[in-house]
Coordinates of all heavy atoms in Angstrom, one line a residue:
M1 N 346.8 71.8 9.3 CA 345.8 71.5 10.3 C 346.3 70.5 11.3 O 346.1 70.6 12.5 CB 344.5 71.0 9.7 CG 343.5 70.7 10.7 SD 342.0 69.8 10.2 CE 341.2 71.0 9.1
V2 N 347.0 69.5 10.9 CA 347.4 68.4 11.8 C 348.4 68.9 12.8 O 348.3 68.5 14.0 CB 348.1 67.2 11.0 CG1 349.4 67.5 10.4 CG2 348.2 66.0 11.9
R3 N 349.2 69.9 12.5 CA 350.1 70.5 13.5 C 349.3 71.2 14.6 O 349.6 71.1 15.8 CB 351.1 71.4 12.9 CG 352.2 70.6 12.1 CD 353.2 71.6 11.6 NE 354.2 70.8 10.8 CZ 354.9 71.2 9.8 NH1 354.9 72.5 9.6 NH2 355.7 70.5 9.2
N4 N 348.3 72.0 14.2 CA 347.5 72.7 15.2 C 346.7 71.8 16.1 O 346.6 72.0 17.3 CB 346.6 73.7 14.5 CG 347.3 74.8 13.8 OD1 348.5 75.1 14.2 ND2 346.7 75.4 12.8
V5 N 346.1 70.8 15.5 CA 345.3 69.8 16.3 C 346.2 69.0 17.2 O 345.9 68.8 18.4 CB 344.5 68.9 15.3 CG1 343.9 67.7 16.1 CG2 343.5 69.6 14.6
S6 N 347.4 68.6 16.7 CA 348.4 67.9 17.5 C 348.8 68.7 18.7 O 348.9 68.2 19.8 CB 349.6 67.5 16.7 OG 349.2 66.5 15.7
A7 N 349.1 70.0 18.5 CA 349.5 70.9 19.5 C 348.4 71.0 20.6 O 348.7 71.0 21.8 CB 350.0 72.2 19.0
A8 N 347.2 71.2 20.1 CA 346.0 71.4 21.0 C 345.8 70.1 21.9 O 345.6 70.2 23.1 CB 344.8 71.7 20.3
L9 N 345.9 68.9 21.3 CA 345.7 67.7 22.0 C 346.9 67.5 23.0 O 346.7 67.0 24.1 CB 345.6 66.5 21.1 CG 344.4 66.5 20.1 CD1 344.3 65.3 19.2 CD2 343.1 66.7 20.9
D10 N 348.1 67.8 22.5 CA 349.3 67.7 23.4 C 349.1 68.6 24.7 O 349.3 68.2 25.8 CB 350.6 68.0 22.7 CG 351.1 66.9 21.9 OD1 350.8 65.7 22.2 OD2 351.9 67.2 21.0
A11 N 348.7 69.8 24.4 CA 348.5 70.8 25.5 C 347.5 70.4 26.5 O 347.6 70.6 27.7 CB 348.2 72.2 24.9
A12 N 346.5 69.6 26.0 CA 345.4 69.2 26.9 C 345.7 67.8 27.5 O 345.0 67.3 28.3 CB 344.1 69.0 26.1
G13 N 346.9 67.3 27.2 CA 347.3 66.0 27.8 C 346.5 64.8 27.2 O 346.4 63.8 27.9
I14 N 346.0 64.9 26.0 CA 345.2 63.8 25.4 C 346.2 63.0 24.5 O 346.9 63.5 23.7 CB 344.1 64.4 24.5 CG1 343.2 65.2 25.4 CG2 343.4 63.3 23.8 CD1 342.2 66.1 24.6
S15 N 346.2 61.7 24.8 CA 347.0 60.7 24.0 C 346.4 60.5 22.7 O 345.1 60.3 22.5 CB 347.1 59.4 24.8 OG 347.7 59.5 26.0
F16 N 347.2 60.4 21.6 CA 346.7 60.2 20.3 C 347.9 59.7 19.4 O 349.1 59.8 19.9 CB 346.1 61.4 19.6 CG 347.1 62.5 19.4 CD1 347.7 62.6 18.1 CD2 347.5 63.4 20.4 CE1 348.7 63.6 17.9 CE2 348.4 64.4 20.1 CZ 349.0 64.5 18.9
A17 N 347.6 59.2 18.3 CA 348.7 58.8 17.3 C 348.2 59.2 15.9 O 347.0 59.0 15.6 CB 349.0 57.3 17.4
V18 N 349.1 59.7 15.1 CA 348.8 60.0 13.7 C 348.9 58.7 13.0 O 349.8 58.0 13.1 CB 349.7 61.1 13.2 CG1 349.4 61.4 11.7 CG2 349.7 62.4 14.0
S19 N 347.9 58.5 12.1 CA 347.9 57.2 11.3 C 347.4 57.6 9.9 O 347.3 58.7 9.6 CB 347.0 56.2 12.0 OG 345.6 56.6 11.9
G20 N 347.2 56.6 9.1 CA 346.8 56.8 7.8 C 347.8 57.3 6.9 O 349.0 57.2 7.1
E21 N 347.4 58.0 5.8 CA 348.3 58.5 4.8 C 349.3 59.5 5.3 O 350.4 59.6 4.8 CB 347.5 59.1 3.6 CG 346.7 58.0 2.8 CD 346.0 58.6 1.7 OE1 346.5 59.6 1.0 OE2 344.9 58.1 1.4
I22 N 348.9 60.4 6.3 CA 349.8 61.4 6.8 C 351.0 60.7 7.5 O 352.2 61.0 7.3 CB 349.1 62.3 7.8 CG1 348.1 63.2 7.1 CG2 350.1 63.1 8.6 CD1 348.7 64.3 6.2
A23 N 350.7 59.6 8.3 CA 351.8 58.9 8.9 C 352.7 58.2 7.9 O 353.9 58.2 8.0 CB 351.2 57.9 9.9
V24 N 352.1 57.6 6.9 CA 352.8 56.9 5.8 C 353.7 57.9 5.0 O 354.8 57.7 4.8 CB 351.9 56.1 4.8 CG1 352.6 55.6 3.6 CG2 351.2 55.0 5.6
A25 N 353.1 59.1 4.8 CA 353.9 60.1 4.0 C 355.1 60.6 4.8 O 356.2 60.8 4.2 CB 353.0 61.3 3.7
G26 N 355.0 60.7 6.1 CA 356.1 61.0 6.9 C 357.2 60.0 6.9 O 358.4 60.3 6.8
W27 N 356.8 58.7 6.9 CA 357.8 57.7 6.8 C 358.4 57.6 5.4 O 359.6 57.5 5.2 CB 357.1 56.3 7.1 CG 358.1 55.2 7.1 CD1 359.0 54.8 8.0 CD2 358.2 54.2 6.0 NE1 359.7 53.7 7.6 CE2 359.2 53.3 6.4 CE3 357.6 54.1 4.8 CZ2 359.6 52.3 5.6 CZ3 358.0 53.0 4.0 CH2 359.0 52.1 4.4
V28 N 357.6 57.7 4.4 CA 358.0 57.6 3.0 C 359.0 58.8 2.7 O 360.0 58.6 2.0 CB 356.9 57.6 2.0 CG1 357.3 57.8 0.5 CG2 356.1 56.3 2.1
A29 N 358.7 60.0 3.3 CA 359.6 61.1 3.0 C 361.0 60.9 3.4 O 361.9 61.6 2.9 CB 359.0 62.4 3.7
T30 N 361.3 60.0 4.3 CA 362.6 59.7 4.7 C 363.4 59.1 3.6 O 364.6 59.1 3.6 CB 362.7 58.7 6.0 OG1 362.1 57.5 5.6 CG2 361.9 59.3 7.1
G31 N 362.7 58.5 2.6 CA 363.4 58.0 1.4 C 363.4 58.9 0.2 O 364.0 58.6 -0.8
G32 N 362.8 60.0 0.3 CA 362.8 61.0 -0.8 C 361.5 61.8 -0.8 O 360.4 61.2 -0.8
E33 N 361.6 63.1 -0.9 CA 360.4 64.0 -0.8 C 359.5 63.7 -2.0 O 358.3 63.9 -1.9 CB 360.9 65.4 -0.8 CG 360.0 66.3 -0.1 CD 360.5 67.7 0.1 OE1 361.5 67.9 0.8 OE2 360.0 68.6 -0.6
D34 N 360.0 63.3 -3.1 CA 359.2 63.2 -4.3 C 358.3 61.9 -4.2 O 357.4 61.7 -5.0 CB 360.0 63.1 -5.6 CG 361.1 62.1 -5.5 OD1 361.6 61.8 -4.4 OD2 361.6 61.7 -6.6
A35 N 358.5 61.1 -3.2 CA 357.7 59.9 -3.0 C 356.4 60.1 -2.3 O 355.5 59.3 -2.2 CB 358.5 58.8 -2.3
V36 N 356.3 61.3 -1.7 CA 355.2 61.7 -0.9 C 354.0 62.2 -1.7 O 354.2 62.9 -2.7 CB 355.5 62.8 0.2 CG1 354.3 63.2 1.0 CG2 356.7 62.3 1.1
R37 N 352.8 61.7 -1.4 CA 351.6 62.2 -2.2 C 350.8 63.0 -1.2 O 350.7 62.7 0.0 CB 350.9 61.1 -2.9 CG 349.9 60.4 -2.0 CD 349.3 59.3 -2.9 NE 348.3 58.6 -2.1 CZ 347.0 58.7 -2.2 NH1 346.5 59.5 -3.1 NH2 346.2 58.1 -1.4
A38 N 350.1 64.1 -1.8 CA 349.3 65.0 -0.9 C 348.0 64.3 -0.6 O 347.4 63.5 -1.3 CB 349.1 66.3 -1.7
T39 N 347.5 64.6 0.6 CA 346.2 64.2 1.1 C 345.6 65.2 2.0 O 346.3 66.0 2.6 CB 346.3 62.8 1.9 OG1 345.0 62.4 2.3 CG2 347.2 63.0 3.1
K40 N 344.3 65.3 1.9 CA 343.6 66.3 2.8 C 343.1 65.7 4.1 O 342.8 66.4 5.0 CB 342.5 66.9 2.0 CG 342.9 67.8 0.9 CD 341.7 68.5 0.3 CE 342.1 69.4 -0.8 NZ 341.0 70.2 -1.4
D41 N 343.0 64.4 4.1 CA 342.5 63.7 5.3 C 343.6 63.4 6.3 O 344.8 63.1 5.9 CB 341.9 62.3 4.9 CG 340.6 62.5 4.2 OD1 340.2 63.6 3.9 OD2 339.9 61.5 3.9
V42 N 343.3 63.5 7.5 CA 344.2 63.2 8.6 C 343.5 62.2 9.5 O 342.3 62.3 9.8 CB 344.6 64.4 9.4 CG1 345.4 64.0 10.6 CG2 345.2 65.5 8.6
D43 N 344.1 61.1 9.9 CA 343.6 60.1 10.7 C 344.3 60.1 12.1 O 345.5 60.0 12.1 CB 343.7 58.7 10.1 CG 343.0 58.5 8.8 OD1 341.9 59.2 8.7 OD2 343.4 57.8 8.0
L44 N 343.6 60.2 13.1 CA 344.2 60.2 14.5 C 343.6 59.0 15.2 O 342.3 58.9 15.3 CB 343.9 61.5 15.2 CG 344.5 62.8 14.7 CD1 344.1 64.0 15.6 CD2 346.0 62.7 14.6
L45 N 344.4 58.2 15.9 CA 343.9 57.2 16.8 C 343.7 57.8 18.1 O 344.6 58.5 18.6 CB 345.0 56.1 16.9 CG 345.2 55.2 15.6 CD1 346.3 54.2 15.9 CD2 343.9 54.5 15.2
V46 N 342.5 57.7 18.7 CA 342.2 58.3 20.0 C 341.5 57.3 20.8 O 341.0 56.3 20.3 CB 341.4 59.6 19.8 CG1 342.1 60.6 19.0 CG2 340.0 59.3 19.1
R47 N 341.4 57.6 22.1 CA 340.6 56.8 23.0 C 339.1 57.3 23.0 O 338.9 58.5 23.0 CB 341.1 56.9 24.4 CG 342.5 56.3 24.6 CD 342.9 56.4 26.1 NE 344.2 55.9 26.2 CZ 345.2 56.6 26.8 NH1 345.0 57.7 27.4 NH2 346.4 56.0 26.9
P48 N 338.1 56.3 22.9 CA 336.7 56.7 22.9 C 336.3 57.6 24.0 O 335.6 58.5 23.9 CB 336.0 55.4 22.9 CG 336.9 54.4 22.4 CD 338.3 54.9 22.8
G49 N 336.9 57.4 25.2 CA 336.6 58.1 26.4 C 337.1 59.6 26.4 O 336.7 60.4 27.3
D50 N 337.9 59.9 25.4 CA 338.5 61.3 25.3 C 337.7 62.2 24.5 O 338.2 63.4 24.2 CB 340.0 61.2 24.8 CG 340.9 60.6 25.9 OD1 340.6 60.6 27.1 OD2 342.0 60.2 25.5
M51 N 336.6 61.8 23.9 CA 335.9 62.6 22.9 C 335.5 64.0 23.5 O 335.7 65.0 22.8 CB 334.7 61.9 22.4 CG 335.0 60.6 21.6 SD 336.3 60.9 20.3 CE 335.3 61.8 19.1
A52 N 335.0 64.1 24.7 CA 334.6 65.4 25.2 C 335.8 66.3 25.4 O 335.8 67.5 25.1 CB 333.8 65.2 26.5
A53 N 336.9 65.7 25.9 CA 338.2 66.4 26.1 C 338.7 66.9 24.7 O 339.2 68.0 24.6 CB 339.2 65.6 26.8
I54 N 338.6 66.1 23.7 CA 339.1 66.4 22.4 C 338.3 67.6 21.9 O 338.8 68.6 21.3 CB 339.0 65.2 21.4 CG1 340.0 64.2 21.8 CG2 339.2 65.7 20.0 CD1 339.9 62.9 21.1
D55 N 336.9 67.5 22.0 CA 336.1 68.6 21.6 C 336.4 69.9 22.2 O 336.5 71.0 21.6 CB 334.6 68.3 21.9 CG 333.6 68.9 20.9 OD1 334.0 69.4 19.8 OD2 332.4 69.0 21.3
A56 N 336.7 69.9 23.5 CA 337.1 71.1 24.3 C 338.5 71.6 23.8 O 338.7 72.8 23.7 CB 337.1 70.8 25.8
A57 N 339.4 70.7 23.6 CA 340.8 71.1 23.2 C 340.8 71.7 21.8 O 341.7 72.6 21.6 CB 341.7 69.8 23.2
V58 N 340.0 71.3 20.9 CA 340.0 71.9 19.6 C 339.1 73.1 19.3 O 339.1 73.7 18.3 CB 339.8 70.8 18.5 CG1 340.9 69.7 18.6 CG2 338.4 70.2 18.6
E59 N 338.3 73.4 20.4 CA 337.3 74.5 20.2 C 338.0 75.8 19.9 O 337.6 76.6 19.1 CB 336.5 74.6 21.5 CG 335.3 75.4 21.4 CD 335.5 76.9 21.6 OE1 336.5 77.3 22.3 OE2 334.8 77.7 20.9
P60 N 339.2 76.1 20.5 CA 339.9 77.4 20.2 C 340.3 77.4 18.7 O 340.6 78.5 18.2 CB 341.1 77.4 21.1 CG 340.7 76.6 22.3 CD 339.8 75.5 21.7
L61 N 340.4 76.3 18.1 CA 340.8 76.2 16.6 C 339.6 76.3 15.7 O 339.7 76.2 14.5 CB 341.5 74.9 16.4 CG 342.8 74.6 17.2 CD1 343.3 73.2 16.9 CD2 343.8 75.6 16.9
H62 N 338.4 76.6 16.3 CA 337.1 76.6 15.6 C 336.8 75.3 15.0 O 336.1 75.2 13.9 CB 337.1 77.7 14.5 CG 337.4 79.1 15.1 ND1 336.4 79.8 15.7 CD2 338.5 79.8 15.2 CE1 336.9 81.0 16.1 NE2 338.1 81.0 15.9
L63 N 337.2 74.2 15.6 CA 336.8 72.9 15.2 C 335.9 72.3 16.2 O 335.8 72.7 17.4 CB 338.1 72.0 15.1 CG 339.1 72.4 14.1 CD1 340.4 71.5 14.3 CD2 338.6 72.4 12.7
H64 N 335.1 71.2 15.8 CA 334.3 70.5 16.7 C 334.2 69.1 16.3 O 334.4 68.7 15.1 CB 332.9 71.2 16.8 CG 332.0 70.9 15.6 ND1 331.1 70.0 15.5 CD2 332.1 71.5 14.4 CE1 330.5 70.0 14.3 NE2 331.1 70.9 13.6
V65 N 333.8 68.2 17.2 CA 333.6 66.8 16.9 C 332.3 66.6 16.3 O 331.3 67.0 16.8 CB 333.8 65.9 18.1 CG1 333.5 64.4 17.8 CG2 335.2 66.0 18.7
D66 N 332.2 66.0 15.1 CA 331.0 65.7 14.4 C 330.9 64.2 14.2 O 331.8 63.5 13.7 CB 330.9 66.4 13.1 CG 329.6 66.2 12.3 OD1 329.4 65.0 11.9 OD2 328.9 67.1 12.2
K67 N 329.8 63.5 14.7 CA 329.7 62.1 14.6 C 328.6 61.7 13.6 O 328.2 60.5 13.5 CB 329.3 61.5 15.9 CG 330.4 61.7 17.0 CD 330.0 61.2 18.3 CE 331.0 61.5 19.4 NZ 330.6 61.0 20.7
A68 N 328.1 62.6 12.8 CA 327.0 62.4 11.9 C 327.2 61.3 10.9 O 326.3 60.5 10.5 CB 326.5 63.6 11.2
G69 N 328.4 61.1 10.4 CA 328.7 60.1 9.3 C 329.1 58.7 9.9 O 329.4 57.9 9.1
G70 N 329.0 58.5 11.2 CA 329.3 57.2 11.7 C 330.7 57.1 12.2 O 331.0 56.4 13.2
I71 N 331.7 57.9 11.7 CA 333.0 57.9 12.1 C 333.2 59.4 12.6 O 333.0 60.3 11.9 CB 334.1 57.7 11.0 CG1 333.9 56.2 10.5 CG2 335.5 57.9 11.5 CD1 334.8 55.9 9.3
P72 N 333.6 59.5 13.9 CA 333.8 60.9 14.4 C 334.9 61.6 13.6 O 335.9 61.0 13.3 CB 334.2 60.7 15.9 CG 334.3 59.3 16.1 CD 333.9 58.5 14.9
V73 N 334.6 62.9 13.3 CA 335.6 63.7 12.6 C 335.6 65.1 13.2 O 334.7 65.5 13.9 CB 335.2 63.9 11.1 CG1 335.3 62.6 10.4 CG2 333.9 64.5 10.9
L74 N 336.7 65.8 13.1 CA 336.8 67.2 13.5 C 336.5 68.0 12.2 O 337.1 67.9 11.2 CB 338.2 67.5 14.0 CG 338.7 66.8 15.2 CD1 340.1 67.2 15.6 CD2 337.8 67.0 16.4
L75 N 335.5 68.9 12.4 CA 335.1 69.8 11.3 C 335.3 71.2 11.7 O 335.1 71.5 12.9 CB 333.7 69.5 10.9 CG 333.3 68.2 10.3 CD1 331.9 68.1 10.0 CD2 334.2 67.9 9.0
D76 N 335.6 72.1 10.8 CA 335.6 73.5 11.0 C 334.2 74.0 11.3 O 333.3 73.8 10.5 CB 336.2 74.2 9.8 CG 336.6 75.7 10.0 OD1 335.7 76.4 10.6 OD2 337.7 76.1 9.6
R77 N 334.1 74.8 12.4 CA 332.7 75.3 12.7 C 332.2 76.3 11.6 O 331.0 76.4 11.4 CB 332.8 76.0 14.0 CG 333.0 75.1 15.2 CD 332.8 75.9 16.5 NE 333.2 75.1 17.7 CZ 332.3 74.2 18.2 NH1 331.1 74.1 17.7 NH2 332.7 73.5 19.3
D78 N 333.2 77.0 11.0 CA 332.8 78.0 10.0 C 332.7 77.5 8.6 O 332.0 78.1 7.8 CB 333.8 79.2 10.1 CG 333.9 79.8 11.4 OD1 332.9 79.9 12.1 OD2 335.1 80.2 11.8
D79 N 333.3 76.4 8.3 CA 333.3 75.8 7.0 C 333.3 74.3 7.1 O 334.4 73.7 6.8 CB 334.5 76.3 6.2 CG 334.5 75.9 4.7 OD1 333.4 75.6 4.2 OD2 335.6 76.0 4.1
P80 N 332.2 73.7 7.4 CA 332.2 72.3 7.8 C 332.2 71.3 6.6 O 331.3 70.5 6.4 CB 330.9 72.1 8.6 CG 330.0 73.2 8.0 CD 330.9 74.3 7.6
K81 N 333.1 71.5 5.7 CA 333.2 70.6 4.5 C 333.8 69.2 5.0 O 334.8 69.2 5.7 CB 334.2 71.1 3.5 CG 333.8 72.3 2.8 CD 334.9 72.8 1.8 CE 334.7 74.2 1.5 NZ 335.9 74.8 0.9
R82 N 333.1 68.2 4.7 CA 333.5 66.9 5.2 C 334.7 66.4 4.4 O 335.3 65.4 4.7 CB 332.3 65.9 5.2 CG 331.2 66.3 6.2 CD 330.2 65.2 6.3 NE 330.7 64.0 7.0 CZ 330.8 63.9 8.3 NH1 330.5 64.9 9.1 NH2 331.2 62.7 8.8
S83 N 335.1 67.1 3.3 CA 336.2 66.6 2.5 C 337.5 67.0 3.2 O 338.5 66.3 2.9 CB 336.1 67.2 1.1 OG 336.1 68.6 1.2
A84 N 337.6 68.1 3.9 CA 338.8 68.5 4.6 C 338.6 68.3 6.1 O 338.0 69.1 6.8 CB 339.1 69.9 4.3
R85 N 339.0 67.1 6.6 CA 338.7 66.8 8.0 C 339.8 65.9 8.6 O 340.7 65.4 8.0 CB 337.4 66.0 8.0 CG 337.5 64.7 7.2 CD 336.1 64.1 7.0 NE 336.2 63.0 6.1 CZ 335.3 62.6 5.2 NH1 334.2 63.3 5.2 NH2 335.5 61.6 4.4
V86 N 339.6 65.8 9.9 CA 340.4 64.9 10.7 C 339.6 63.8 11.2 O 338.6 64.0 11.9 CB 341.1 65.7 11.9 CG1 341.9 64.7 12.8 CG2 341.9 66.8 11.4
H87 N 339.8 62.5 10.8 CA 339.1 61.4 11.2 C 339.6 61.0 12.6 O 340.8 60.9 12.8 CB 339.3 60.2 10.3 CG 338.8 60.4 8.9 ND1 339.7 60.6 7.9 CD2 337.6 60.4 8.4 CE1 339.0 60.7 6.8 NE2 337.7 60.6 7.1
L88 N 338.7 60.7 13.5 CA 339.1 60.2 14.9 C 338.8 58.7 14.9 O 337.6 58.3 15.0 CB 338.3 61.0 15.9 CG 338.5 62.5 15.9 CD1 337.6 63.2 16.9 CD2 340.0 62.8 16.2
I89 N 339.8 57.9 14.8 CA 339.6 56.5 14.8 C 339.9 56.0 16.2 O 340.9 56.3 16.8 CB 340.7 55.8 13.8 CG1 340.6 56.5 12.5 CG2 340.5 54.3 13.8 CD1 339.3 56.4 11.7
Y90 N 338.9 55.2 16.7 CA 339.1 54.7 18.1 C 340.2 53.6 18.1 O 340.1 52.6 17.4 CB 337.8 54.1 18.6 CG 336.7 55.1 18.8 CD1 335.3 54.7 18.6 CD2 336.9 56.4 19.1 CE1 334.3 55.6 18.7 CE2 335.9 57.3 19.3 CZ 334.6 57.0 19.1 OH 333.6 57.8 19.3
A91 N 341.1 53.9 19.0 CA 342.2 52.9 19.2 C 341.6 51.6 19.9 O 340.7 51.7 20.7 CB 343.3 53.5 20.1
N92 N 342.2 50.5 19.5 CA 341.8 49.2 20.1 C 340.3 48.8 19.7 O 339.7 48.0 20.4 CB 342.0 49.1 21.6 CG 343.4 49.3 22.0 OD1 344.3 48.8 21.3 ND2 343.7 50.0 23.0
E93 N 339.8 49.4 18.6 CA 338.5 49.0 18.2 C 338.5 48.6 16.7 O 339.3 49.2 16.0 CB 337.4 50.1 18.5 CG 337.1 50.2 19.9 CD 335.9 51.1 20.1 OE1 335.2 51.4 19.1 OE2 335.6 51.4 21.3
E94 N 337.6 47.8 16.3 CA 337.6 47.4 14.9 C 337.1 48.6 14.1 O 336.1 49.2 14.5 CB 336.6 46.2 14.8 CG 336.6 45.5 13.4 CD 335.8 44.3 13.4 OE1 334.5 44.5 13.3 OE2 336.3 43.2 13.5
A95 N 337.7 48.8 12.9 CA 337.3 49.9 12.1 C 335.9 49.6 11.5 O 335.6 48.5 11.2 CB 338.3 50.1 11.0
P96 N 335.1 50.7 11.2 CA 333.8 50.5 10.6 C 333.8 49.7 9.3 O 333.0 48.9 9.0 CB 333.2 51.9 10.4 CG 333.9 52.7 11.4 CD 335.3 52.1 11.6
L97 N 334.8 50.0 8.4 CA 334.9 49.3 7.2 C 335.1 47.8 7.4 O 334.6 46.9 6.7 CB 336.1 49.8 6.3 CG 336.3 49.2 5.0 CD1 335.0 49.3 4.1 CD2 337.4 49.8 4.2
A98 N 335.9 47.4 8.4 CA 336.1 46.0 8.7 C 334.8 45.3 9.1 O 334.5 44.2 8.8 CB 337.2 45.8 9.8
R99 N 334.0 46.0 9.9 CA 332.7 45.5 10.3 C 331.8 45.3 9.1 O 331.1 44.3 9.0 CB 332.1 46.4 11.4 CG 332.7 46.4 12.7 CD 331.8 47.1 13.8 NE 331.5 48.4 13.5 CZ 332.2 49.5 13.9 NH1 333.3 49.3 14.7 NH2 331.8 50.7 13.6
F100 N 331.9 46.3 8.2 CA 331.0 46.2 7.0 C 331.5 45.0 6.1 O 330.6 44.2 5.7 CB 331.1 47.5 6.2 CG 330.5 47.4 4.8 CD1 329.1 47.5 4.7 CD2 331.3 47.2 3.7 CE1 328.5 47.4 3.4 CE2 330.7 47.1 2.4 CZ 329.3 47.2 2.3
C101 N 332.8 44.9 5.9 CA 333.3 43.8 5.1 C 333.0 42.4 5.7 O 332.7 41.5 5.0 CB 334.8 43.9 4.9 SG 335.2 45.3 3.8
A102 N 333.0 42.3 7.0 CA 332.7 41.1 7.7 C 331.3 40.6 7.4 O 331.0 39.4 7.5 CB 332.9 41.2 9.2
R103 N 330.4 41.5 7.1 CA 329.0 41.2 6.9 C 328.7 40.8 5.4 O 327.6 40.3 5.1 CB 328.1 42.3 7.2 CG 328.0 42.6 8.7 CD 326.9 43.6 9.0 NE 327.0 44.8 8.2 CZ 327.3 46.0 8.7 NH1 327.5 46.2 10.0 NH2 327.4 47.1 7.9
L104 N 329.7 41.0 4.5 CA 329.5 40.6 3.1 C 329.5 39.1 2.9 O 330.3 38.4 3.6 CB 330.6 41.3 2.3 CG 330.6 42.8 2.2 CD1 331.8 43.3 1.4 CD2 329.3 43.3 1.6
P105 N 328.7 38.6 2.0 CA 328.7 37.2 1.7 C 330.0 36.8 1.1 O 330.7 37.5 0.4 CB 327.6 37.0 0.8 CG 327.2 38.3 0.3 CD 327.7 39.3 1.2
A106 N 330.4 35.5 1.5 CA 331.7 35.0 1.0 C 331.7 34.7 -0.5 O 330.7 34.5 -1.1 CB 332.1 33.8 1.8

């Protein structure tokens, strides 16, 4: 999925960066393929102002932007399982988990 999404965003001229476990797996693989662990989640750093363009770019892949869980994700229109998704993390913004942890008592 990450290759198709990356190609669609590249074709639309949308800036993004792969992050999270996929990015780490790519780096770890340089030291040996057996060090890589499988993951179904993909994290992409994107600009908040690009959401409409992202939605349009991935529409031919039968994906859409869903913001219901608080973190925007790309879900399959035909099979919207939230377990197999692409997280859209806003670049230059504090992550929701960091905001949650900041509210916890010391």
Side-chain angles (χ1 to χ4, degrees):
M1 178 190 298
V2 70
R3 288 185 182 157
N4 293 336
V5 170
S6 295
L9 298 180
D10 279 338
I14 299 168
S15 297
F16 68 95
V18 178
S19 66
E21 291 182 37
I22 293 289
V24 171
W27 181 79
V28 169
T30 63
E33 211 173 288
D34 52 336
V36 178
R37 83 181 180 106
T39 181
K40 291 185 178 183
D41 287 5
V42 177
D43 299 328
L44 297 180
L45 294 175
V46 298
R47 294 183 183 129
D50 287 342
M51 296 308 288
I54 292 169
D55 206 19
V58 299
E59 195 276 330
L61 303 174
H62 300 279
L63 299 173
H64 73 100
V65 175
D66 183 290
K67 298 179 185 176
I71 297 174
V73 295
L74 296 180
L75 296 179
D76 189 315
R77 290 186 187 280
D78 303 322
D79 187 18
K81 293 180 201 162
R82 294 189 69 82
S83 59
R85 61 188 171 216
V86 176
H87 298 105
L88 301 174
I89 309 299
Y90 294 148
N92 297 323
E93 289 195 7
E94 192 175 77
L97 182 57
R99 287 193 303 267
F100 171 77
C101 290
R103 291 191 306 248
L104 294 176

